[in-house]
Amino acid sequence: MPQPVNVVVLLSGTGSNLQALIDSIEATPGHPARVRAVISNRADALGLQRARDAGIDTAVLDHKAYADREAFDRALVALIDGFGADLVVLAGFMRILSVMFVRHYAGRLLNIHPSLLPRYKGLDTHQRALDAGDREHGCSVHFVTEELDGGPLVVQAVVPVAEGDDASRLAARVHAQEHQIYPLAVRWFAEGRLSLGEQGAILDGQLLGASGRRIPA
């Protein structure tokens, strides 16, 4: 049997996407990935308890203990590499990553963002979609590059915006889709089907388009 692909998850909060990944792996006999470790910059992050409950190694690296972002990221790289990471998954990790960090994990670093990128990079995406009168919203999994929320797209889930939606109701439906497409992207990577090429994300040998693989809700 081939060795499973080691996934290290970085988070700062509740870890709902981590839980979705854990559940997906546990529900799939012979799944090619395993969550090797979960790392947080916050000792009180609920996601750490989710990991402990699943028997996954955890670690805390407090960014406030380091002089600057580069020093923190160097320590973080050493910690991640100590777990033998093949893939690093950002799951609500509330830190802007340095160029050094992103380059070190080039092609092995995934993020999920609560909008249909390239629309609404940054924060408050649900309210911004409502304010713009958008008919659809959603979430995107992408490879991380030096451009914030700008790496090549892997997969997007589209969520219709309903009449009378507010940001919280829309966010809840988007989160439900995040829990579907993030484990899917991780599995594609672990199966060797997904990679990052010079021109963008590649799935099953084919270059994905500007929107990645789109999945309607």
Side-chain angles (χ1 to χ4, degrees):
M1 290 287 291
Q3 289 295 311
V5 168
N6 282 331
V7 178
V8 171
V9 177
L10 307 185
L11 55 77
S12 300
T14 62
S16 65
N17 274 304
L18 165 67
Q19 191 65 58
L21 180 58
I22 291 171
D23 292 345
S24 174
I25 291 172
E26 289 182 348
T28 309
H31 196 290
R34 68 168 176 172
V35 180
R36 177 65 183 83
V38 174
I39 300 170
S40 180
N41 63 316
R42 294 178 55 95
D44 60 350
L46 176 59
L48 292 171
Q49 189 59 52
R50 292 182 189 270
R52 296 182 192 112
D53 291 345
I56 297 167
D57 288 342
T58 64
V60 175
L61 197 67
D62 185 354
H63 61 276
K64 296 189 294 293
Y66 294 84
D68 53 33
R69 180 177 291 122
E70 289 282 345
F72 173 76
D73 280 6
R74 284 194 295 270
L76 184 57
V77 163
L79 184 57
I80 293 169
D81 288 352
F83 287 112
D86 300 304
L87 176 67
V88 179
V89 168
L90 306 178
F93 188 58
M94 304 307 291
R95 296 284 301 165
I96 295 176
L97 299 168
S98 66
V99 171
M100 176 278 297
F101 185 96
V102 171
R103 288 180 177 174
H104 183 78
Y105 294 108
R108 299 186 292 139
L109 183 59
L110 290 176
N111 184 45
I112 192 160
H113 184 74
S115 79
L116 296 175
L117 291 171
R119 282 184 279 180
Y120 312 127
K121 298 178 181 181
L123 302 175
D124 301 320
T125 60
H126 311 301
Q127 189 61 53
R128 289 159 68 191
L130 291 170
D131 291 345
D134 291 352
R135 294 184 176 181
E136 63 180 23
H137 188 43
C139 48
S140 308
V141 177
H142 64 95
F143 281 104
V144 177
T145 63
E146 296 169 31
E147 180 184 357
L148 181 65
D149 296 331
L153 292 167
V154 174
V155 58
Q156 294 186 317
V158 180
V159 175
V161 178
E163 185 175 353
D165 261 345
D166 60 18
S168 62
R169 284 195 292 268
L170 184 56
R173 296 205 306 281
V174 170
H175 289 158
Q177 294 305 310
E178 289 181 18
H179 300 161
Q180 300 299 313
I181 66 170
Y182 216 1
L184 178 63
V186 169
R187 181 164 184 174
W188 285 344
F189 185 93
E191 290 173 338
R193 299 171 58 193
L194 175 66
S195 62
L196 179 61
E198 291 185 2
Q199 303 301 317
I202 297 170
L203 180 63
D204 295 332
Q206 300 294 316
L207 185 66
L208 291 168
S211 300
R213 176 72 59 84
R214 272 213 167 193
I215 297 176

